[in-house]
Amino acid sequence: TGTCNHKTIAHDFPYYYSSFFAPSWRYRRLKELMQSSQKKTKNDMWSYQRDTKNIMAAKTAPIMAKALQQYEDTRLMGEILEKWNFHDDPGKAAPAIFQTTYCKFAELVFKDELGEKIIMNFLDNWYFLHEKLTQMVLKGHSIWFDDTTTPDIKESMTDMFHKAALQAKKTLVPLLGNDPEQWKWGKIHTLELVNPLARKGIAGRILGTGPMPMGGSGETLYRGWYDYDKPFEVTHCAALRMVVDMSDMDKVMAVIPGGVSARTFSPHQKDQIKNFMSGKKSYWWFSDTAIDRHEKSRLVLVP
């Protein structure tokens, strides 16, 4: 069993539970991994937390790729998407193309009806929007695809993907250069750990860490969610990553994005960042016996 903040109750559940659920993509990927026939190990469980397969992209990126390849000015972007394995890895260009184009596409689809004041709030609430938009793309047609500001033209989904890709190109070229092959996801999709004493400027860079290239997205188990109005800086990701082997009472496999101390300038404030970003396995001593045996220092709080 597992949960990814998705809807876990059946459609016929008789009582109101909530109307605010995460899209199902992350859970679908977890289910896909867990249903494989091979025996699962603690190392498998550790790797699942860093899995970058984007199930939503697997469904929609081929449709986007086909649309973009119909136009000379977006053909290369479409070809890159066509060759993609749908993993949001930081060293790949396809995730940057897909994520940027999909965001622009969503804005184009709804902005003409909703207007400037509402659109950003709407798009920032992906929990409400995400799966519905995907259903529209898979269907291939919707009244929302027509741009009401051009009454003499009836736009198709392909038209909207093309317009979105041109806007994506306009966004990415100043940041990453003219060659779409070099639009690496990790160059724009970054994680920055800030210190509350100084969040910006020189002091912020000294006390904090980053920005650091990061894989994943809002649709992957290795979560790297960003806000629509401030792409593509990671605002939501897993904090504690932990796997517990119930046969080993001395230690647990765990890592946090920082260190075990919150005290500024402590040597243990940032000593787990490298492992957190790289995925290296880390262990915390758990039993009192193991902690006493391996302790290097002890903090005593006296009232």
Side-chain angles (χ1 to χ4, degrees), residues 19 27 36-37 45 48 82 87 114 118 134 136 151 164 172 187 203 237 245 248 260 266 272-273 296:
S19 57
Y27 174 69
S36 61
S37 58
M45 298 299 175
Y48 292 168
E82 186 179 40
H87 284 259
L114 299 182
I118 297 177
T134 302
M136 291 161 56
L172 294 173
K187 290 182 179 180
C237 70
D245 181 351
D248 185 351
V260 294
S266 165
Q272 294 196 29
I273 293 176
K296 296 182 179 179

Side-chain angles (χ1 to χ4, degrees), residues 5-263:
N5 298 334
H6 66 295
K7 186 177 182 179
T8 57
I9 56 175
H11 291 292
D12 58 354
F13 188 73
Y15 307 104
Y16 177 78
Y17 181 69
S18 176
S19 57
F20 193 68
F21 298 103
S24 63
W25 313 120
R26 298 172 65 244
Y27 174 69
R28 292 188 193 192
R29 176 55 175 164
L30 178 62
K31 186 177 179 180
E32 188 176 272
L33 291 169
M34 295 297 288
Q35 284 185 333
S36 61
S37 58
Q38 67 199 52
K39 183 178 180 180
K40 307 299 186 296
T41 68
K42 60 183 179 183
N43 292 331
D44 291 327
M45 298 299 175
W46 184 260
S47 68
Y48 292 168
Q49 297 183 67
R50 291 183 56 84
D51 185 86
T52 60
K53 177 76 176 288
N54 187 331
I55 296 294
M56 189 267 281
K59 291 179 175 293
T60 57
I63 299 171
M64 182 189 292
K66 184 178 179 180
L68 301 192
Q69 290 182 79
Q70 295 184 35
Y71 302 89
E72 182 61 34
D73 50 5
T74 58
R75 180 169 293 126
L76 180 55
M77 296 169 69
E79 290 173 351
I80 293 171
L81 288 175
E82 186 179 40
K83 295 181 289 186
W84 185 27
N85 66 355
F86 313 118
H87 284 259
D88 288 329
D89 293 330
K92 293 179 179 176
I97 294 172
F98 175 78
Q99 293 286 339
T100 311
T101 302
Y102 203 79
C103 284
K104 300 296 184 183
F105 174 74
E107 183 176 353
L108 286 170
V109 168
F110 298 111
K111 186 176 181 179
D112 54 318
E113 286 90 357
L114 299 182
E116 292 279 355
K117 292 184 178 180
I118 297 177
I119 188 64
M120 286 304 171
N121 285 333
F122 181 64
L123 293 176
D124 267 337
N125 283 281
W126 282 101
Y127 276 25
F128 293 123
L129 162 69
H130 223 293
E131 293 209 47
K132 181 61 179 178
L133 182 58
T134 302
Q135 290 171 8
M136 291 161 56
V137 171
L138 295 177
K139 191 175 181 180
H141 58 85
S142 169
I143 59 174
W144 291 91
F145 291 153
D146 182 35
D147 186 351
T148 59
T149 65
T150 58
D152 297 332
I153 304 172
K154 186 175 182 179
E155 286 82 3
S156 66
M157 180 180 68
T158 297
D159 295 327
M160 300 302 272
F161 269 138
H162 179 233
K163 289 183 179 181
L166 292 178
Q167 290 188 10
K169 181 186 289 189
K170 193 173 182 179
T171 296
L172 294 173
V173 165
L175 298 173
L176 303 174
N178 291 311
D179 183 4
E181 297 278 7
Q182 299 304 314
W183 293 349
K184 308 303 183 187
W185 181 226
K187 290 182 179 180
I188 56 174
H189 187 249
T190 58
L191 174 66
E192 184 172 10
L193 303 177
V194 298
N195 189 300
L197 297 180
R199 302 177 68 90
K200 298 180 180 179
I202 297 176
R205 289 194 294 273
I206 294 173
L207 297 179
T209 305
M212 300 170 285
M214 186 171 175
S217 67
E219 297 81 57
T220 60
L221 291 176
Y222 185 45
R223 201 172 200 190
W225 183 2
Y226 56 86
D227 294 333
Y228 182 87
D229 60 351
K230 195 178 180 182
F232 295 93
E233 299 172 10
V234 176
T235 55
H236 297 70
C237 70
L240 172 65
R241 295 198 186 103
M242 181 168 65
V243 175
V244 178
D245 181 351
M246 301 302 289
S247 67
D248 185 351
M249 300 304 295
D250 281 339
K251 62 183 182 298
V252 297
M253 193 182 298
V255 66
I256 56 176
V260 294
S261 172
R263 291 177 294 165

